[in-house]
Amino acid sequence: MSDTVFGMDTFGDVPTDDEGVLLSHPQALRQVVDEVVLADGAGVDVVALGEHHRPEYAISTPETVLAGIATRTARIRLSSGVTVLSSDDPVRVYQRFATLDALSEGRAEVIVGRGSFTESFPLFGYSMNDYEVLFEEKLDLFVRLLDEKPVTWQGSTRAALDAVEVHPRTGHRIPVWVGVGGSPESVVRTARHDLGLMLAVIGGAPGRFAPYVDLYHRAVAQFGHTAKPVGMHAPGFVADTDEEAKEIFFGPYKAQMDRIGAQRGWPPMSRARFEADVEGGALHVGAPETVARRIADSIRAVGAQRFDLIYTVGPQPVSARLKAVELYGTKVIPMVRELLA
């Protein structure tokens, strides 16, 4: 597993300054760019920016922010995480990422999905009654665009195409993953379309996702494809010590989870539940040695070839986020590589 890919993900959570004052959305966007520039020099392989349309997140168009990052970085791969394909147009998505690919000299990737929030559906004029057909049809069209050949397509969710050529072209096939939260049907769909599987491990022990990896490999074989790498992303945070990491992470994490939980009927996040999730659940929080060991265990348990750390959850201080990125790239990733060697 020495060739495992290591990334970091963010939704552009609006952080605070060191006095606890929330940044503006423009400041938060520039902060994300600064963090990825730091990650590029620290050895992180890929960054994935998520799309959201809520006040606590600054990023609504990942590819726009990634294009800005492309002009200030040299090696880090640039991905969405995820692009909510259901409420977007596949042709425009492909054009935007083809443009990003050109600006970054071939570093673009796409993780498509249905998203964990639904604000984009009414915002862009789509009905939740069409939740399934929107993603199925649009994914089908998007996959056809990857070959960069004339496309003929017809469906119920957008205008038909008749031998249409889409520009700009990249000259190669942009890597595409499907973000999956634990639905067997989504795993099989990913295999059918011959795409990479990215598992969203945001709750529970990572090992519970291992059956989905097995299902993916079995489905890939049945469809006659060659398996793509399997990735996983999970939340976490790195600081100099375990206690410091937990103290920085817990308050913003609880605030974010309680805000979402109030809308979805979850109970408030308790400290005991948090500690249990850090000890054996989805949270990878602690000193570099602790986080490295937890990541290595998660990779082995799931059978993944890529691990992305969701390093922002809630309004964490800017200075702590920068330190977490630096520690992740310069200390955690090398340690995990040694553990997996």
Side-chain angles (χ1 to χ4, degrees):
M1 291 188 182
S2 59
D3 57 349
T4 304
V5 172
F6 294 94
M8 64 183 204
D9 299 358
T10 179
F11 305 141
D13 305 64
V14 177
T16 68
D17 62 20
D18 288 347
E19 281 69 50
V21 178
L22 279 173
L23 271 60
S24 67
H25 282 148
Q27 290 172 318
L29 287 167
R30 293 191 291 270
Q31 178 63 29
V32 168
V33 175
D34 288 343
E35 289 162 4
V36 181
V37 170
L38 177 61
D40 185 48
V44 180
D45 297 318
V46 59
V47 62
L49 305 184
E51 171 193 344
H52 286 287
H53 305 273
R54 299 167 59 90
E56 62 267 35
Y57 302 120
I59 298 173
S60 61
T61 57
E63 57 270 54
T64 306
V65 184
L66 292 168
I69 291 170
T71 66
R72 293 185 54 193
T73 56
R75 48 165 297 279
I76 195 167
R77 294 194 62 81
L78 308 171
S79 177
S80 59
V82 301
T83 292
V84 184
L85 191 62
S86 304
S87 56
D88 211 328
D89 182 81
V91 175
R92 294 295 287 147
V93 171
Y94 190 78
Q95 289 178 320
R96 295 196 297 263
F97 277 92
T99 301
L100 170 64
D101 197 70
L103 293 173
S104 64
E105 299 185 3
R107 290 185 279 144
E109 296 187 2
V110 190
I111 303 177
V112 297
R114 292 181 284 191
S116 58
F117 296 95
T118 59
E119 287 82 3
S120 64
F121 285 79
L123 182 63
F124 298 116
Y126 294 99
S127 171
M128 288 297 296
N129 293 331
D130 300 323
Y131 187 78
E132 293 293 338
V133 69
L134 281 167
F135 188 68
E136 182 61 56
E137 285 195 1
K138 292 187 176 187
L139 182 61
D140 177 65
L141 174 54
F142 189 70
V143 170
R144 298 189 192 201
L145 295 168
L146 297 177
D147 291 329
E148 300 193 330
K149 297 177 181 178
V151 173
T152 297
W153 180 92
Q154 186 171 359
S156 63
T157 55
R158 59 148 290 145
L161 301 177
D162 184 11
V164 171
E165 295 185 4
V166 176
H167 306 285
R169 293 180 176 178
T170 65
H172 65 100
R173 190 179 178 93
I174 295 177
V176 176
W177 308 64
V178 178
V180 174
S183 162
E185 293 79 12
S186 295
V187 173
V188 173
R189 179 193 293 116
T190 302
R192 174 162 52 86
H193 286 293
D194 195 19
L195 301 173
L197 178 69
M198 178 61 69
L199 296 166
V201 183
I202 57 176
R208 71 187 181 91
F209 285 83
Y212 296 107
V213 178
D214 179 64
L215 174 62
Y216 172 71
H217 286 292
R218 287 189 283 113
V220 164
Q222 289 177 359
F223 288 119
H225 300 315
T226 300
K228 301 289 191 297
V230 172
M232 61 180 292
H233 78 174
F237 198 76
V238 193
D240 288 326
T241 68
D242 288 350
E243 288 308 312
E244 182 185 8
K246 288 191 285 189
E247 289 310 308
I248 292 171
F249 189 81
F250 176 67
Y253 178 69
K254 174 177 169 56
Q256 192 80 312
M257 296 302 290
D258 288 354
R259 183 184 297 111
I260 298 170
Q263 300 170 352
R264 301 187 180 183
W266 301 343
M269 172 62 63
S270 68
R271 184 69 189 221
R273 177 183 163 195
F274 169 74
E275 293 286 351
D277 285 345
V278 170
E279 183 65 28
L283 298 181
H284 298 67
V285 177
E289 297 84 357
T290 301
V291 175
R293 185 178 64 254
R294 289 280 286 112
I295 291 175
D297 289 345
S298 295
I299 290 171
R300 293 191 191 101
V302 173
Q305 291 80 48
R306 169 174 162 179
F307 181 93
D308 286 8
L309 183 74
I310 309 172
Y311 73 101
T312 62
V313 183
Q316 297 152 335
V318 165
S319 61
R321 277 176 36 166
L322 287 167
K323 183 67 174 295
V325 170
E326 180 183 13
L327 290 174
Y328 179 60
T330 61
K331 293 192 175 182
V332 173
I333 291 175
M335 289 180 186
V336 180
R337 292 194 190 281
E338 289 186 7
L339 290 169
L340 296 177

